[in-house]
Structures are given as structure tokens and as C-alpha cells.
Amino acid sequence: MAPLLNGFTNGASRHLPEDPSIVEARFSDIPSQVDIPVRGMEGEEAVEVNLEELLDDPTELCTLLEQEGVGKHYWMLIALAYAKQAKVDHAIEILGKGLGTLSRGNPKEKLGPLSLTCWLYLWKSREAPRVVPDGQPAGETRLKEFYLQAATGSLNEASRINPAFPPLFLARGVLYLLRASLQPPSKTAAPSAPDLSDRVETLRQSIKCFEDALRVSAGRNMMAILGRARAYFSLGKYTDALDGYQEVLIKMPHLQDPDPRIGIGCCLWQLGHRDEAREAWERALELNPDSKIANILLGLYYIHESSHYATADPAFGPIYKKAMTVYTQKAFKLDKELPLTCATFGSYFMMRKSWATVDSLARKAIELTDVNAVASDGWYLLARKEHYQDRPDLPKANDYYQKADLARGGGDKGYLPARFGLVQIQILQRDFDGAKFRLEKIIQQSKSIEAMMILGALCAEDVFRSQASGIKDDKSAEIKKAITLLEAVRLAWKDPQKKLTPDSSVLVYLARLYETEHPEKALQCLQQVEQMTINDMPDKEPPDGLEVDEAWTTKLREQLSPQLLNDIGCFQFHAEKYDPAREFFQTALSACVKAGEKDEGIDTDALVTTISYNLARTYEAANQLEEAKQVYEGLLARHDDYTDARTRLAYIELRQNPTEDGPKAMTALYETDSTNLEVRSLFGWYLSKSKRRAANIAEDQEQRHYKHTLQHHDKHDRYSLTGMGNLYLMTAREMRRDTDQDKDKRRKTYEKAVEFYDKALQLDPRNAYAAQGIAIALIEDRKDLTSAVQMFSKIRDTIKDPSVYINLGHVFAELKQYSRSIESYEAALTHNRASDPQILACLGRVWLLKGKLDKSPSAMKTSLSYSHRALAIAPQQIHFQFNIAFVQIQLAQLLYTLPETQRTLEDVIKASEGLEEAINSFGEIAQSPNPPYPRHDIEQRANMGRNTMRRQLERAIQSQREYEEKNAAKLQEARDLREADMRRREEERRKAEQEKEEEKRKIREERDKMAQLSRDLAEKRAEEEKRREEAEYTTDSDGERVKRSKKKKGGKRKKKDEDSGSETEVGDGDGEQKEATTTSKKSRRKKKAKSTEPDSGIDSSAEEGSAPKSKKKRKRLARKGKEGNFKSEELVVDSDDENVVARPAAPPPPVDDPAVSDADEDGDTRMRDEEDEDDDNAVVSKQSRKRNARRIEDDEGEEDEDEGENEDEEEEVPAAGEEEGEEEPPKTTAERDAEDADEGEGKGASFADNPHGDPVDESVGAAGHEGAAETGGPGLQI
């Protein structure tokens, strides 16, 4: 499918012929008139019948046909003419009379009319209603089923005559297809179970009939392919259906009625290729602008596109308008009876609440459609009409919703919007359990976001109802389920592909669910609601030139809901963020004013009262008592019976004036409203702080107050129950425990306290104060520290009161977990208790215990610091002074027991000073009127410090001083040694760096010298090349440079060597012998040298008149391999030019080599003239002529020169830098590379067979020029 997806198969790239005649319309082959032959008349007379202006009553025409006994062709032609004018009933009547006439003849004559009758019945079935129209009698309306039965009768009659009649296969397939459209879809079965419903079986039968039609037509029946594709589509096999539609379009690209492009688009839509489907439908509309199906399908496409945007989104309007006005409206004008168009237009009138139009269009869609999905849409429109009317008919709506769901299969395959409608009806009918069950099924099947939202809201409402009713049922599972569902919805908003619009109601539900357990998450939800509301404001952006600051944000917040701002402020208050809370409360008051201006029906007075009270409580918590008093007084001015405001004013007065005005205010409050439980609770707290402790609990004033509250006002008052528990707990703590009877009485008092706490917890399981009282009782009575820690830890997560942390610190101290105890006490200090001397004293105690356990002087110093802080806050408390003296004694005792390595002299001296202070303090404490301990014990402790500990500290000071002096000397000595070692290492490092720098300097100088030498050598080589070029070239008469020709100084004669028989050339000039160059440099590079006969020797020294010779470059060619292949080895002088640059010579050959010995004695060789080359070729072996590889070895490792003798020059030019007697400096890598390159050029001139410098066989000798030419080597003479 993929290669054909965007190709010609969807009609986008296939163009119909421009000639309209090629496009065949229905009934195009019906002529405009027909001649009916008259029986019994002479000649060819006939009655002419106009087929375009037929009679309304075909009786007369049928009589004519019967009388004349015409054939079936005339009957069928006239019936088709009536069918062309949409008079299908008359066409069926005519065919019925024709079949009666033809029954007297051959039965096969009836096959054509019977087949045509079947097709006409199928046509009537398409136009007949599906169900009985509303308001019509059931017996007077012929439904689709009636015509399908009639078509079945005609088809069966034709099949009895000839079951293999080809047109019958196609007709039967269409009949099965239409029958399947009336059958309900199958309900959900197991995923692996086959679908055995009647509808599926009927569709399979239709596919078989279409395949039979294709078989008898040899695959040429396009209508059969289209029918089979339609059946596949109904079965959900969209890929197979797409293949069928594409096949038809390939074979008949001009086909427009029916248009396969419509089917292609539908298949692509179902396969998820929405844009490709639109292209197919647009192509169909391009070919046929009046295609009602293409128009309505394109309208549905753009309606679907508009669903991706919220109705308030600017992009929604243009897309939806295009869908309705451009396409859907046009389709409705083309055919007002088209069911799909009626269903689509019905949804538009639903939004406009045109209920009568909706009802009419929905019933048309239900009655006239052949598609179950369209019928489902019609039922859904009727259900929504009944549901959303001013007086909804819920039973009818519920029935229509169920029919809409069943029309699409029901169960798992049902219509999701209809199932949502059923859920809404159940909610309206208060059937919450049924609604939740249906929603859970929807979520399991589709993961619908809307279903999750509704189910989460239902679970949350269930929790809220339970909380409001005071039922103590455990709703933790419901809370967790609601939070999970609503958080899933919240997470789906973040997916950009889903394009979901956040709903503030979801966040409000989450905030209420998080309120108790996770207030910080609740605050985040409310803040998100605030931001969403601000983003939806049209004027959220500041005017030009202004920035978004605090003032602009506050101005925007004033347009929000006052309730939302008040809720956010409350959460900020509970989080102890008093400044933000105050700002939100103030903004909420401004929002109340603006809300009252917009809507006078809002009760702003109640909102202002509540928010003002919250603002005053915020001022009070922030210790802004005067501002709080002003707000409370303003509330009392408006509502003088506002008890809460009066209560808070009395409390503030008590805080500011605890001795005079405060008690009076509390007494006045209690006398004014003593029946109010809040007032009684506050008065009970006042009694606990100001009363005198009674020896008998029954005489305690606070206990009487709580008891009176429980007996006469509310026996379930939780504050009174907790207060009674606290009273019994403190009483048990102070009871004697000397005897068993005292212990038993104390235990029972603890149990009494636990009973009150337990009662309070039964009424309020989240009462942390009662739980804390039980934990304290467990510790003090039963020493159950482990259980107490667990309880205090849970209480700490519930309330943020410093008492919880103090109690945890006590428990951890008893468990000797001093670090955790210190953490708990310090946490208590941070909760507005930084100046509490009791907490500071507890910290001093724990640090002292930790110091004694760890033997840590620093911990004891910390303990002493906390003790000093506690005494500074409460200097009148003598027991804090005792704590300081006790810590000083303990610190002194610890220091003189520690070894010298773990203390310092300063510490010991300070401890000695502290000991003196402690001795004095103990003396003062012992003389005080109310010492914390017996005077005798305190005096004994002072005497011990004065006598024993003082002497011990003196000895400790002496020994510590001696130790530190010795240790200081050792340290100084070690320090000196270390410094000396460091200086030595530094000196060594400095010297090493200097040596390294010197070495680098030398290397740089050497490199500079070598670089300069390389430049000098390069310049000399350049000059040498220039002189050589000047020697080789000259200027001719035309002014052009040409190579200088060599002049012969005389005739030549041949002289044969006496020893070897070889010939040499002797010049007749001044007696000097010259080598004759046989070939040019270019020719020598292309030739190879050949070896001579073994016994051909060289005796150049026998020649007379030879001039003195300079050092010449000698090269020996040897054959690689065995030396026995040649009789002798000769020395070869390589001289390819007059001026040759010298090269290092190869090591000398063995002295017993005669050829080389002769060469060494003579020191020179002569080159023959070209005339003697033919004679020399005779002594060259065939094997040596075929040898191509040679090795060049320089003689004796010396720096030889390439000798080039120019006949016009008598002076030899040596290579630069290689004069005799001069030692050559060392060469750099660059110089050696450059020299090798120059030498390679020289070698290339002499040995062209080895351009890459490969080794050449040393055993190869040199032959004459002609032999060298055969092997491609240089032309050298011996």
C-alpha cells in the first residue's frame, strides 16, 4: 500500500481525459425514443414512443406491448426509461407485466427482466426508511426489509431458471451487502475468538458472490471489485479494501459514479492517514464538484481538525466555519435526504438549540441510512436533545443513548460519547455506583481522559460527603484513587500532541484532596488555577512602556475570585509564610469590592468578614499585634456578636499585659459568653498558665473547669479531654514513688491520663496533642522508649509544635542517641523558641553527656556555652548557675585525665580558671535560700574541687608545659630539617632547569647552523644547476635557447685492446681521451644496460696520452642472484652529463675481482661512439638483455662525483660542498631528503628502469648502446 499511498491510486496524480464523452453517466445508453413494431401490418410500420416524455400511467403502454407481443428488450428498455426519471415503481410494474407475458415463452427469456427487477428492488431498498417514521402507522410504510425480501424473491426465481447467469452473482453480492447493513454489529468477544455473528457471515457471503462475478467476467467486472472492497471495509479489513479501490482506479481512472476515490479516502482515514484521505476526497471533488459524498466527507475532515482546538481558541472558528459553510452546507443543498449530511448538520443545530430541526434531521439520518454508524449518530442526537432541553426527559435520553451505543456494537465496541451520556444520566439520577462502574469499564478500554476526570470527581465527592457527615469510615483508598485519576488527567495536559485544555475544576478537586496530608501540593494546585485564570484574561499584558512587576500582578489578582485568593492565603499561613499570606488576604479584600461591583447578588459581606479575620490572624502570627487589634476591632464594629474576634482580642491583651489588663479581659470574655466552647477552651488555657498548683487534683481549679465543660456543655469536647489528660499526667509525674503503694497509685494516675487521651483520639484520630500525651505516659510510666519514638515521629509529621521536638530530644537522650537528641532540640529552637532557657539547658545537658561519652573537651565547651546562654536569659534561675558550675567541674576533671597529646596548655589553664569559678559558684549556691540540691552535697563538691582537683590541675599544667616545651623543640628541629631539605631540593630543581635550558639553547643553535648550512647548500646547488644549464644550452641565431651541440675535434680511429679485444675511441686533439656520449639523457632513461661477455676485460690504463683525471663517480652493476651467470664483472662509469654532482660511493668490491681491479688501476672508462654499438651487441648474452632490475652500490662509501665532460670545456666542476680535503658537516633530515631527491633525478637519467629507487642487481654488466636500448637502460660503453 505504501508505494501507492500518494501516487495515482488516490486520484491525485491521475488526470481524466479532457473529453467529457469518455465519462459515462448512469442511463446514458437509454435512447430518447423507441419504435415498437406493429404486428399484422404490412411493411415495417412501428409505433414511436418518446422515452423522455413518458406517461404518468404506464398501463396503456403495457397494453400496447402485450398486444404486439414484443420481446424482452422493449419491456426492459421502457422500464429503464422510467427508472431514469426516478419512477422506479412504474418500472417495476412494467417489468412485472412483461414477465407475465414472457412466461408463455422460453424461461430463459425471463432472466434479464428478473435481474433488472432485482436491481430495482435494491434501489428502492436504499431509499426506503430503516425504521417506521415517527407518527406513521407501521402497516402503511414499506421498510428496507420489505424491498430486500422482494429482491430476494426475484433473485431466487432467476436462480431457478439459470443459477450461473452472470448478472445474478453481482446482484446477490449487493443484496448480501445491504442485508448486512441492517444487522447489528457483533458484541465484544474474546480477543482470540473468531467473530461468528450473522452480520460477519453475511458479509463473507457477499464477498464470495463478488468473487464469483469476477471469476465469470475474467476479472473485468469493476463493480464486483468495488463491492468486494465495500465488504472488506465493513469487516474492518481496511488494507484489503484499499487495494480493491486502488485496483479499480488503476483500471478505470475515468470512473466517477461510483467514485473509487471516495472509498480510497475512507480506507486511508480508518488507517490513520487523515491528510491523504483529504487529498483523495479533494481529487474526487475536483473531478465532480457536485459530489455530495465528497463534500460531506471533507466537511467531516475539517470538523475533526477543529476538534483539536478549544472553542475559545482563535484557530477554531475559521476551521469550523469552513467545514460547515463550504462543504456541509453544499452537500445538504445537493441532497437534503443524505443521512450523513443530516447527522452532521444536526450537530450544528444542536449547538444552536434548534430542537425541532435537530429532531427532524436526526430521524432522517436514522431512517434513511444503510450505515450503522450514521444511525448511531442519529440516535445520539436525539438523546442529547432530550438530555439538554430545559425540561429533560431522562428516561427517553437514556433509551436513545443505549440505542446509539448498540448501533455501533455496544460493549467494548460501542459509541463512547453515548456511553458518557449514559454516565451523565446515571449521575443525574443519583446512581453514583452505576456511573463509577461504567466509567471504570470505559477507562479499561480506551484510557479516556474525560472518563478519568469524571470518575476522579465522583470519588472525590464521595470522600467529601463522608467528611461532611462525620462518618469515621476509612476513605484512604478512595482518596488515593481520586488523586491517581486526577493526576493522570493533569499529566495528560502536558502532552502537546493531545492538545488538551486544562480544567480548573480538576485542580480544585486535587487541592481539596491534598489539603490534609500534603498542603504544599494543594497550594501548588491553587497557584496553577490562579495562573490559568490570569492567562485567560484578555488584558493580562501591561501597557506599552510598563513592566510586569508586583503592582501589575496585584492588579491582575484583584480580578480573580476572592475565594481562590483566600484559599491560597490560608495555605501560605499554615506554611508559616506570613508575608505572602497577608498580601493574598489584602488582595482578596480588593477583589471582593470589584466582585460586588460586577454582580450585586454576591454576598460580599460574608466574604469580607472571613477574609478580614484571616488577615488579622496573619498579623497576629507575624507579631504585628497592633495591626491585628485594629482589624479585630473593625470586625466587632460591623458585627458586635463576632465571638472569635472578641476571643482573639482578649488573648492579645493577655499577651501584652499578663498581670493587669490581660486577666481582666479574659474574665470579661468568660462572663460575656461562657457557653461558647472556644471561649471555655481559651479560659482553660489561661487557668493552666496562671493557677497555683494544688496538692489534690480534685481541688485544682483547671480540673474543675474542664469537668464542668464535659458535664454541662459537651461531653465530647476534645480540648477539655486533652486538658484533663495533661492534668493527670503532671500530677503523676510529681507523685512520690518510695513505696509500692506510692508506685501503684502513680501508675493508676498515669492510666487515668491515658484514658482521657484515648477518648480524645477516638473523637479525633488526628489529635496530635493527645497522642503526644500517651507517648509521654509510656516513657515515664513504663520506660517504653522505642514505642514513644515511633509515636513522636508520627506526631512530628502532623503538627509543627516545638513541644514535639523537645519530647523527641528527651527520648533520644535517654536512648543515648545524643546527636539525634541535639538535632531535635535545635529544631525546637527554630520554631519561635530561640530564647527559651529550658531548651538551651537541655542542649547543655546533652552536649555534656556527649562530651563525657566521647571524652571530648570541645563538646563540653559547647555545653558550657549553652549553659551560659540559658543563664543570660533567666539570671534569676539559680539552677542554671549550678549547671554552669557543674559543667566546669566536669571539664576540669576530663582535662587532667586526658593524655598530653589530646589537650593543650591553654585548655588546662582555662579549665583551672573555670574550676575556681565553679568553687565560688558552689559556695554561693550553697548559701542561697532555695538551693537545687542539698547544701551539704554542694559544699562537698566545692571542697573536692578546692582540694583534690586543684592540685591535680596544677600537676597537669606543669606536665603539659614541660611536654609542650619539649615538643616545641622537637617540632622546631624537625621544621628546620624540613626547611633545609626543601632548600636543597629547590636548588637541585633550579640547577636541573638551568641544565635543561642550556641543552635547549645548544640544540637551537645547532639547528640554526644546520638550517643555515642547508640554505647555503641549496644556493650552491642552484648555482651549479645554473652553470650546467648555461653549459648545455646556448642562443641560436633566432634568439631562442637550444641545446649546445657537441663538436668533434677530429677523426676517430678504432683500436682494439690487446688483452680483451674490446675497442676504444681515441680522439685526435691534444691527446686527451674523452668519453663519447652515445645517447641523450632522455633516451638513456628509457633503456636498460646489458651485461658483456665474461672474459671481456677493461684496460683503459694502457691508453697513452690520457690526461690527469679527477675523482670520478664509479658504479658497479651486478646481477641480482647467482654470480655464475656471467663470466666477469665490469666497472661502469655513469656519466650522463658533462657536469655531474658527486654521490657517496659504494663499498669497494673484493680485490680478487679482475674487472674491478682493472677499473681501480685505470680509474676511468671510455665510452664508445654510436658506430661501435653493433659490434658490442655480439658479446651480450640473451639472459642479461632480459634482466630489468638492477642495484646500484656506491664504491668504498666515498663521496664520488658524477663526471660529465663537455667537449667545449676543459675544466671539471665538482659538487658543491665536496671539494677535496674538505670534511663535510653532518646533514639534517631535510638536507638528506633534498640530496636523495637530487640523486634520484640523476639516477633516473642513468637508470630509467628503476624510477622508484628499487635495488638493482649488482651482477648485471653494461653492454653496448644497442643492447641497452633493448632493455630500456642507459647506453653505456665499456
Side-chain angles (χ1 to χ4, degrees), residues 459-469 508-509 512-513:
C459 294
E461 290 291 345
D462 190 13
V463 173
F464 302 151
R465 283 194 299 270
S466 176
Q467 293 174 351
S469 63
V508 173
Y509 274 120
R512 293 186 63 184
L513 292 169

Side-chain angles (χ1 to χ4, degrees), residues 997 999-1008:
E997 289 296 329
E999 184 178 357
K1000 290 181 179 179
R1001 186 187 61 78
K1002 291 180 179 180
I1003 292 174
R1004 284 196 300 270
E1005 291 178 355
E1006 185 176 353
R1007 287 178 178 174
D1008 293 341

Side-chain angles (χ1 to χ4, degrees), residues 620-621 623 625 648 650-658 662 685:
E620 188 179 347
N623 205 25
L625 300 181
R648 300 312 303 176
Y651 175 74
I652 292 174
E653 193 67 33
L654 184 64
R655 287 183 61 184
Q656 291 180 334
N657 301 292
W685 172 84

Side-chain angles (χ1 to χ4, degrees), residues 1166-1231:
R1166 302 286 185 180
M1167 303 187 70
R1168 292 186 177 181
D1169 192 60
E1170 293 179 357
E1171 299 174 357
D1172 302 326
E1173 289 179 358
D1174 294 338
D1175 296 336
D1176 292 334
N1177 288 337
V1179 296
V1180 178
S1181 65
K1182 294 181 180 180
Q1183 184 177 2
S1184 64
R1185 284 199 301 267
K1186 295 179 182 179
R1187 188 70 175 179
N1188 293 325
R1190 292 171 174 83
R1191 180 180 304 163
I1192 304 172
E1193 292 188 358
D1194 297 334
D1195 191 16
E1196 296 181 358
E1198 296 176 352
E1199 295 293 329
D1200 292 343
E1201 299 175 351
D1202 292 337
E1203 182 184 48
E1205 295 182 356
N1206 194 319
E1207 294 182 359
D1208 294 335
E1209 296 178 10
E1210 296 181 356
E1211 185 177 356
E1212 185 182 53
V1213 182
E1218 294 189 3
E1219 291 85 2
E1220 291 189 16
E1222 182 180 353
E1223 183 178 356
E1224 183 181 4
K1227 297 181 176 61
T1228 62
T1229 304
E1231 293 171 355

Side-chain angles (χ1 to χ4, degrees), residues 1090-1103:
K1090 293 190 176 182
S1091 59
T1092 60
E1093 290 295 328
D1095 53 353
S1096 61
I1098 299 175
D1099 191 8
S1100 59
S1101 60
E1103 297 181 0

Side-chain angles (χ1 to χ4, degrees), residues 25-72:
R26 294 188 182 184
F27 304 106
S28 59
D29 55 345
I30 304 298
S32 60
Q33 62 185 13
V34 63
D35 295 333
I36 300 176
V38 178
R39 186 168 55 182
M41 299 294 293
E42 296 180 359
E44 295 182 358
E45 296 184 3
V47 176
E48 182 179 312
V49 178
N50 189 347
L51 298 181
E52 295 180 353
E53 298 178 0
L54 295 171
L55 300 175
D56 294 337
D57 187 3
T59 304
E60 182 179 351
L61 188 57
C62 291
T63 303
L64 174 64
L65 295 175
E66 289 176 353
Q67 290 177 354
E68 301 303 329
V70 297
K72 65 178 181 178

Side-chain angles (χ1 to χ4, degrees), residues 399-441:
D399 181 52
Y400 291 150
Y401 279 133
Q402 288 182 349
K403 288 183 178 180
D405 187 41
L406 292 175
R408 295 186 186 240
D412 296 343
K413 296 182 179 180
Y415 191 34
L416 188 60
R419 295 162 75 182
F420 271 116
L422 288 171
V423 169
Q424 293 174 339
I425 297 297
Q426 287 178 316
I427 293 174
L428 292 175
Q429 294 176 344
R430 314 293 294 179
D431 183 12
F432 299 118
D433 292 336
K436 287 194 285 187
F437 177 77
R438 193 181 294 274
L439 286 170
E440 287 175 352
K441 295 289 289 183

